[in-house]
Amino acid sequence: MATHLPGAGQRDLWSAGPDVTIAATLRPAGIATPVDGGWMLDGRWLYVSGITHCQWALLSTTSGDEPRFMLVPQKACVIHDTWNAVGMRATGTHTVLVEQSFVPQSHSFTREQLIHGQHTTGRPVPHEAVFGLFFAAPLLGAAQGMLETWRQHRRTRRGAEHGTVRELGAAIGYLGAAEAMLSHAAHIADTGDLDDETTLRCRLYHATAADLIAQTTTMLFRTAGTAAVDASHPLSRFWRDIITGLMHPALDLPIAAADYARLSQT
């Protein structure tokens, strides 16, 4: 996302090295008022993951001309500890408040630039062609970890192999299909011609893979036995984190499917 900044903003961000931590949110919330040389930013943003341990934040705003993103240092943010989710507790997805913070012109880009991939380096990559990968890929890794933990858990139970062959085979198949679909989508984003149809197809692949992950996660948890419902059990942790992550709008299959279907009919 930060590659959409003007060159001067990128130099400010990465002049000391590449390992800069940035929190970001796509949800428009704040107001950027144009002033001489940039904008004055005010606003309150919900669900800003990683805000407690980042150096910078990219915040989505509305301004007088068009929706924009503003890059602000973390020290300009007042963090309210509001993240008390059932899963993904460690992401620190808290609420951020910014009051009267100046943002120079070089620290901003438009939402239109992000959507169409109009950044200053490389070829255009529309955001929707890759956005779902940020969430689906780590959830796939968590589901693979859950499957291995489930297999170990089942081995410790009397008669564990009985009645689990079908679930094991289905889980391996579902997660293999999800991995293949995400790898294919990533390959398209890296090498393909990303027109509107291809972009929405990539988004559909992300959401479909997430749906396969959801089916697998639910099946494994339901067949783990009552011991797994204990909040301290590793399978319970996997289930909470994965189900919470799957709620992200980027992985909403009905919406992704409907958007792709509408485009393909035109």
Side-chain angles (χ1 to χ4, degrees), residues 121-259:
T121 57
R123 65 187 180 85
V125 180
H127 192 60
E128 287 192 334
V130 294
F131 187 43
L133 288 172
F134 304 164
F135 304 96
L139 291 174
L140 173 62
Q144 291 168 337
M146 183 178 186
L147 174 57
E148 182 57 33
T149 302
W150 179 87
R151 296 180 74 171
Q152 296 173 5
H153 170 70
R154 293 295 296 182
R155 293 191 192 107
T156 65
R157 303 183 63 205
R158 180 178 297 178
E161 295 305 318
H162 179 69
T164 62
V165 174
R166 182 178 64 182
E167 287 81 4
L168 175 61
I172 292 173
Y174 288 162
L175 295 185
E179 182 175 6
M181 192 170 293
L182 292 178
S183 296
H184 182 54
H187 178 74
I188 292 174
D190 281 340
T191 62
D193 180 14
L194 295 172
D195 56 15
D196 290 345
E197 187 276 336
T198 308
T199 295
L200 289 182
R201 180 152 44 91
C202 286
R203 178 182 163 200
L204 180 60
Y205 288 161
H206 306 153
T208 303
D211 194 62
L212 291 171
I213 293 168
Q215 293 181 53
T216 306
T217 301
T218 301
M219 178 182 63
L220 293 178
F221 193 63
R222 290 184 63 184
T223 57
T226 55
V229 302
D230 188 284
S232 63
H233 197 283
L235 286 172
S236 178
R237 165 86 183 266
F238 275 119
W239 180 76
R240 294 193 306 269
D241 287 348
I242 294 170
I243 293 300
T244 301
L246 287 167
M247 296 174 70
H248 196 282
L251 303 178
D252 191 313
L253 180 56
I255 292 178
D259 287 346

Side-chain angles (χ1 to χ4, degrees), residues 2 4 7-8 14 35 60 63 84 99 102 143 159 202 205 207 228 241:
H4 295 79
W14 287 304
V35 295
S60 180
S63 64
N84 190 32
E99 294 181 318
F102 175 72
C202 286
Y205 288 161
D241 287 348

